[in-house]
């Protein structure tokens, strides 16, 4: 695929709202899963966010690379090799060029769930972005399957850093975050020299991808454009980053959640 056909799709947040979680504030469970921060043994097969035959891009990087992190976590936690549908989230979030905010995407998944790829696959007979973004609205049976995933899983997310931190300060936080999950990161896609991808000082990020390891000071990325595995320049200055938490709900926790929803519904009726 020629570079001028690549769309990317990261839309930076205008601000971090007070209700959004920040790494270190103890809002999410703080469980260390992979002490050395290397998620490479648990990677799914790479997936393109663009059509390889019809020459269009979905601008869906925030969806593709958030779902990849869920698939990695399920491989690690439950030994399950699941493959989820990007089109389901794309349609549900009404994502269109120029893309979307990774917080919006993750929070929609948290509330509405996800479904298997086979339900809404990205096949070679999809001839355009308009075809990709249908059926719209999503059929009720698709919506209900997504909700079942949300009912059975606690999925959470939080920003890894805020403010004007140096690349070295960000790197320390990212390495610590990698002990808990792969990290979604924003980058400039893609400039390569000598086998490493780099970013000019002052450039604005345009793509969301997955940090899966540090090799010394060099970040290792799982991406939605080939090559799927990329090595970034030392001390790469990521603009934004999110870590994620995934946990299966027990029956007791499911019942508690249902009770909370019923109480909220009751309160709404009385107000």
């Amino acid at each position: 695929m020629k570079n001028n056909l690549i769309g990317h799709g990261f839309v930076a947040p205008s601000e971090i709202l007070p209700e959004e979680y920040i790494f270190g504030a103890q809002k999410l469970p703080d469980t260390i899963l992979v002490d050395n921060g290397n998620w490479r043994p648990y990677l799914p097969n790479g997936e393109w966010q663009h059509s390889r035959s019809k020459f269009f891009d979905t601008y869906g990087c925030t969806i593709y690379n958030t779902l990849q992190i869920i698939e990695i976590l399920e491989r690690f936690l439950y030994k399950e090799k699941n493959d989820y549908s990007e089109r389901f989230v794309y349609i549900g979030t009404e994502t269109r060029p120029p893309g979307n905010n990774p917080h919006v995407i993750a929070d929609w998944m948290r509330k509405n769930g996800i479904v298997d790829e086979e339900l809404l696959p990205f096949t070679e007979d999809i001839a355009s972005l308009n075809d990709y973004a249908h059926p719209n609205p999503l059929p009720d049976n698709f919506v209900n399957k997504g909700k079942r995933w949300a009912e059975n899983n606690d999925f959470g997310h939080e920003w890894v850093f805020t403010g004007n931190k140096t690349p070295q300060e960000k790197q320390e936080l990212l390495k610590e975050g990698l002990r808990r999950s792969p990290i979604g990161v924003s980058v400039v896609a893609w400039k390569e020299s000598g086998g490493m991808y780099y970013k000019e000082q002052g450039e604005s990020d345009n793509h969301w991808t997955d940090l899966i390891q540090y090799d010394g000071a060099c970040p290792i990325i799982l991406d939605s454009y080939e090559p799927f595995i990329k090595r970034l320049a030392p001390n790469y200055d990521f603009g934004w980053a999110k870590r994620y938490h995934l946990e299966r709900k027990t029956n007791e926790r499911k019942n508690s959640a249902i009770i909370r929803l019923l109480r909220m519904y009751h309160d709404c009726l009385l107000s």
Side-chain angles (χ1 to χ4, degrees), residues 168-182:
Q168 292 76 17
E169 290 171 330
K170 292 177 183 179
Q171 183 180 125
E172 290 306 308
L173 288 166
L174 289 164
K175 285 184 175 180
E176 190 61 32
L178 277 170
R179 300 172 70 202
R180 293 152 177 85
S181 80

Side-chain angles (χ1 to χ4, degrees), residues 233-253:
N235 301 312
Y236 192 99
D237 189 11
F238 299 105
W240 299 83
K242 263 190 180 290
R243 80 104 172 173
Y244 302 86
H245 173 79
L246 182 66
E247 186 177 353
R248 291 273 161 84
K249 294 179 182 177
T250 62
N251 287 333
E252 182 179 347
R253 291 173 66 204

